[in-house]
Amino acid sequence: MEYDLVVEGRVVLPGSVKDAQVGIRDGRISAVKRQGLRAERTIRAPDSCLVFPGFIDSHVHLREPGWEYKEDIRSGTLAAAHGGVTTVFDMPNNPTPTTSPVALDRKRRLAESKAKVEVRFFAGVTDANLAQLRLMAPSAVGFKAYLARSTGDLVLSNGGLAKAIPEVGATGKPFSLHCEDQAIIDSRASSRSSYADLRPPEAEVASVREVVGMVRKDGGVRANICHVSTAEALRLVEGSGGSGHRVHCEAALHHLFFTRKDLDGNPLLRTNPPLRGESDRVALLEGLVGGSVNSLVTDHAPHTREEKLSEGLAGVPGLDDYGHVVAWLVMRVGVDPLVVSRACSSDPASFFGLPDRGEVAVGRRGDLTVLDLKSPQRVAEGELQTKCGWSPYEGFEFPGGARWTVSGGRVVLDDGQLEV
Ligand code: DOR
Ligand code: ZN
Ligand code: ZN
């Protein structure tokens, strides 16, 4: 047979959506044709489906090593396959943080035997490891710094940030930044009001302003603002171009779907940064459609239900539901599938320097996500792959979700069934 696998249906190609067959051989896309491809196996995606380039989630906390009771590389990547995600980028805030070459190599080795989809790793940046960044660069997809304390307490001071920007710039790797201002958060510490007020919009806005100013002055680093959550921070990103490149930014699915009304009274929905108001949510959706929100991420951050309820830890899982939320964006919000393929695949591939994926095109990896947009489904605990065992989307009905996930030519989700 000419091909190992053919996937046929309505295919989201670069710039257009067409009826096509995608032929995969030896893990790569080797033909995209109207018809006539023959393969060992053909997946015929029904009319209710769209075939996207495999989704790339550039912000995930897989928790291994150290917090395997919350999630491990296997369970987290199974959740990814379940949600239609073929590549995840893992964050460095483990109990032993990924801030040294040794810790980074350890994670890479763990993933080699355990990962069900592709995993790449961020290297963490702190005041203490600036001299090691160049050593970690070849093994890292990018660098990550937290400008305020969050899970793992990995922080970079403002002074450290000024030094880190040229250091990261010199490596050529992107720099993802969790932007919240610690001093503003500390000034709210005594407030007894909602979690949303403990980490207020002003903390994000001040931090994004600081980062945008420093990046513009330096000019040599490609910065990504993580999980932008406020309209005002998005405006700062939009205006950050100046004479050079504007900073890049991502939005998290939960900030597009929920608001602080959902958070008040529900500690399961605590995240850093917190859920915001309806006008912020709408601004993020508009930014997605207009292109100023460059990419979509889950910020999959599993904690057990008990930890959430008794200790108030911040973070929600999201990988299992990536396909659900994208189906909702397309069918209920009216987001164009071409916008989805940009934000969920081609943009993270090009920004983070993975030219072998991100589009359905000859020569790319055989990574495909087939979403069924017309098979309503209610999220239920029993189907989740994440080890934490719960989802913020439980009980919500979505218009559809991921039906086939193909990673490097392997069918890891097959007509809704995971191939473990
Ligand atoms: O909500 C969050 N959870 N925000 C972060 O910055 C970290 C993450 C986690 O790792 O739990
Ligand atoms: Zn963060
Ligand atoms: Zn995160």
Side-chain angles (χ1 to χ4, degrees), residues 16-284:
S16 64
V17 182
K18 292 206 171 94
D19 287 326
Q21 291 184 315
V22 183
I24 298 174
R25 188 166 46 212
D26 298 330
R28 300 244 157 204
I29 298 175
S30 52
V32 181
K33 290 239 166 72
R34 179 72 189 82
Q35 58 191 9
L37 303 187
R38 290 161 57 81
E40 298 289 333
R41 176 167 184 210
T42 297
I43 292 172
R44 292 195 174 80
D47 291 345
S48 56
C49 294
L50 281 175
V51 181
F52 286 95
F55 293 153
I56 300 170
D57 186 348
S58 55
H59 190 146
V60 161
H61 302 261
L62 291 178
R63 304 299 196 203
E64 184 173 355
W67 279 326
E68 290 87 348
Y69 70 92
K70 298 177 198 266
E71 192 77 288
D72 60 38
I73 293 171
R74 176 164 295 262
S75 59
T77 53
L78 280 170
H82 184 216
V85 175
T86 54
T87 303
V88 297
F89 299 171
D90 177 60
M91 286 297 171
N93 60 333
N94 297 72
T96 302
T98 324
T99 48
S100 68
V102 170
L104 190 55
D105 280 350
R106 179 168 178 216
K107 268 196 179 176
R108 287 177 63 212
R109 268 183 278 113
L110 284 169
E112 268 166 29
S113 58
K114 297 186 165 196
K116 304 303 286 185
V117 301
E118 286 256 302
V119 188
R120 297 297 162 97
F121 299 98
F122 277 101
V125 180
T126 66
D127 295 293
N129 76 344
L130 296 177
Q132 292 193 295
L133 304 187
R134 283 167 209 235
L135 292 173
M136 291 190 283
S139 315
V141 72
F143 289 91
K144 167 71 184 277
Y146 294 82
L147 303 181
R149 280 195 303 281
S150 194
T151 306
D153 280 346
L154 206 62
V155 230
L156 181 67
S157 67
N158 274 359
L161 177 62
K163 293 187 196 135
I165 285 174
E167 286 292 329
V168 173
T171 70
K173 294 281 162 119
F175 197 2
S176 275
L177 292 137
H178 177 123
C179 292
E180 287 184 283
D181 185 293
Q182 188 64 51
I184 295 179
I185 294 172
D186 290 344
S187 74
R188 304 295 170 98
S190 58
S191 136
R192 269 184 291 123
S193 43
S194 147
Y195 189 75
D197 298 319
L198 291 174
R199 302 182 77 115
E202 303 86 78
E204 176 176 271
V205 172
S207 178
V208 169
R209 184 173 287 121
E210 178 88 11
V211 166
V212 163
M214 282 195 198
V215 167
R216 182 183 279 176
K217 218 184 291 161
D218 178 84
V221 77
R222 286 181 298 130
N224 172 46
I225 309 294
C226 289
H227 42 51
V228 169
S229 67
T230 61
E232 208 179 333
L234 184 59
R235 295 288 104 76
L236 291 171
V237 168
E238 288 166 349
S240 67
S243 52
H245 293 293
R246 82 160 175 81
V247 303
H248 184 274
C249 77
E250 64 187 37
L253 301 178
H254 49 267
H255 288 124
L256 298 177
F257 192 80
F258 296 109
T259 66
R260 62 170 288 170
K261 276 202 181 134
D262 301 297
L263 166 65
D264 289 335
N266 184 1
L268 287 177
L269 289 182
R270 280 188 186 186
T271 56
N272 299 334
L275 298 170
R276 308 295 192 187
E278 177 64 7
S279 59
D280 292 305
R281 190 183 77 87
V282 169
L284 294 178

